[in-house]
Amino acid sequence: MIDLRSDTVTKPTMAMRQAAFEAEVGDDVYEEDPTVKKLEDKAAEMLGKEAALFVTSGTQGNQIAVLTHCNPGDEVLLEANAHLFLYEGASMSALAGVQPRTIQGRRGVMDPEHVKAAIRPDDIHFPETSLICLENTHNKAGGVVVPLENMQAIYELAREEGIPVHLDGARLFNASVATGISLHRYADQTDTVQACLSKGLGAPVGSIIAGSYDFIQKARKWRKRLGGGLRQVGMVAAPAYVALTEMVDRLAENHAHARQLANGLQHVEGLTIEKVETNIVLVHVNGLGETAESFLHKLKEDGILAVPFGPTTVRFVTNYGVGGREIDQVIDRIISSYLY
Ligand SMILES: *Cc1c(COP(=O)(O)O)cnc(C)c1O
């Protein structure tokens, strides 16, 4: 099977398995695991934040951020197709008791004027706007890189209003590799950030959240409340450290493979391909008279996996388990099914 469903399907490399085998460990609830400390220090340094915390998943990291920044009854502003809104089981409402308020962006990018207009004035009828969430790269928009200037503009107005900004940077590494802008310049435009180590970077488990010392202290308590206080966590922090320090630059290969796929499919009549910016390729199949489901069913019979991303839209995500030769095979199989 050529698996392009997600970059989460990646399996730990030999170096990661070796690092797990050799990891020095302790009880991290007592803050005695040297390996997770090393990972957190490195992540804080790379993101230019005072401190960082290893969490079990991107969803847990985002939700800890919401829980730490907000009180029940508050309102959170975020893009209409944000992962935090679409794909986290309404956990900000279920767990933090906050109300999401969405702002329609263009390819995932919110207009700062729209964000400003959505901030609630001081009035007894209104919830308090207590957090703005950004997402970079934007998953649902197709791996779009949110421009640094856009983040800057939103952060500036948020600071004027005294509202913190959280970045869902599940794929921030992809944004940084695609633009050459460092991770910490992106993270400078937000108070807190969540970054996934278990996607394109290939760690088996875990995400990082980073922010001020004070934020991380409070976040540590929320992580414990959520059952995310782990014991000899160095076993998974060690491969995550390999992911963070050895796997970032090679994301450029995934981006090249995504472009290769998009270019190869470009001439298939009936397919519309969204502009590729990182490792995600969105393909609209309605012009073939197919639904996402019927198209994916045929692909699967040809040994290719992708996911539906709307009634007639399919998402392919390149990852290190799939090389250039396999991408050519995917192109060939789609062309031979539909071009002749
Ligand atoms: C994958 C993803 C998450 C959640 O990460 P999990 O580790 O799957 O919980 C959050 N935000 C975005 C943009 C993602 O792509």
Side-chain angles (χ1 to χ4, degrees):
M1 281 286 175
I2 301 176
D3 196 345
L4 294 165
R5 286 173 300 168
S6 179
D7 43 10
T8 57
V9 300
T10 42
K11 293 180 182 158
T13 62
M14 280 316 290
M16 290 178 192
R17 291 166 194 263
Q18 192 67 32
F21 182 73
E22 291 167 358
E24 206 184 316
V25 296
D27 187 335
D28 185 46
V29 174
Y30 291 120
E31 299 188 36
E32 287 173 3
D33 187 292
T35 304
V36 78
K37 271 190 200 300
K38 186 172 122 182
L39 170 69
E40 289 167 346
D41 288 348
K42 183 70 181 171
E45 180 201 314
M46 287 169 71
L47 292 162
K49 297 293 184 201
E50 287 176 3
L53 191 69
F54 186 59
V55 295
T56 55
S57 68
T59 301
Q60 190 186 57
N62 284 337
Q63 294 309 322
I64 288 172
V66 173
L67 285 158
T68 304
H69 286 300
C70 304
N71 291 308
D74 287 349
E75 189 165 76
V76 175
L77 300 182
L78 73 178
E79 207 277 325
N81 288 309
H83 193 284
L84 265 147
F85 182 66
L86 286 185
Y87 296 124
E88 300 188 13
S91 40
M92 71 166 74
S93 303
L95 304 177
V98 301
Q99 153 171 301
R101 181 167 178 196
T102 58
I103 294 168
Q104 185 63 54
R106 286 182 62 184
R107 297 186 79 227
V109 181
M110 294 185 284
D111 182 334
E113 287 304 319
H114 296 172
V115 177
K116 190 169 183 170
I119 294 171
R120 300 282 193 167
D122 191 13
D123 182 308
I124 196 171
H125 298 87
F126 295 152
E128 223 165 277
T129 307
S130 63
L131 184 64
I132 298 169
C133 294
L134 306 178
E135 183 173 318
N136 203 0
T137 63
H138 196 292
N139 171 39
K140 183 72 179 178
V144 170
V145 179
V146 176
L148 187 69
E149 306 76 53
N150 177 264
M151 294 178 62
Q152 261 161 355
I154 292 172
Y155 194 40
E156 214 160 282
L157 72 88
R159 272 194 299 191
E160 276 165 22
E161 300 281 349
I163 300 168
V165 177
H166 172 69
L167 171 62
D168 178 356
R171 295 191 180 85
L172 188 63
F173 302 101
N174 295 84
S176 173
V177 166
T179 60
I181 297 170
S182 67
L183 291 170
H184 69 84
R185 282 191 69 203
Y186 282 114
D188 278 352
Q189 305 312 320
T190 66
D191 296 283
T192 60
V193 51
Q194 182 276 119
C196 284
L197 305 172
S198 64
K199 290 198 167 157
L201 301 188
V205 176
S207 269
I208 278 289
I209 52 175
S212 67
Y213 285 118
D214 184 50
F215 169 81
I216 292 299
Q217 275 311 105
K218 290 178 180 148
R220 188 182 291 281
K221 187 151 184 169
W222 272 114
R223 186 184 68 174
K224 188 77 180 82
R225 287 190 181 112
L226 295 175
L230 303 178
R231 301 298 179 178
Q232 285 71 31
V233 69
M235 296 300 288
V236 284
Y241 186 85
V242 174
L244 189 62
T245 54
E246 295 177 22
M247 298 292 281
V248 175
D249 292 342
R250 64 149 309 285
L251 292 175
E253 272 174 53
N254 297 356
H255 298 176
H257 288 152
R259 288 193 299 271
Q260 180 188 342
L261 179 61
N263 290 337
L265 295 180
Q266 204 163 287
H267 303 295
V268 181
E269 212 181 303
L271 288 183
T272 312
I273 324 255
E274 299 264 343
K275 183 175 163 227
V276 171
E277 297 191 24
T278 52
N279 66 330
I280 297 179
V281 184
L282 295 187
V283 179
H284 304 288
V285 299
N286 45 316
L288 295 172
E290 298 275 10
T291 62
E293 202 185 339
S294 63
F295 183 82
L296 287 169
H297 183 76
K298 287 183 194 166
L299 272 191
K300 194 171 178 180
E301 288 183 339
D302 277 335
I304 299 161
L305 299 176
V307 293
F309 228 46
T312 57
T313 304
V314 170
R315 185 188 76 168
F316 296 87
V317 185
T318 55
N319 60 75
Y320 73 70
V322 179
R325 272 214 342 243
E326 282 89 6
I327 296 292
D328 278 336
Q329 282 175 30
V330 174
I331 296 166
D332 287 347
R333 288 185 207 171
I334 292 175
I335 285 181
S336 58
S337 305
Y338 292 104
L339 207 55
Y340 307 110

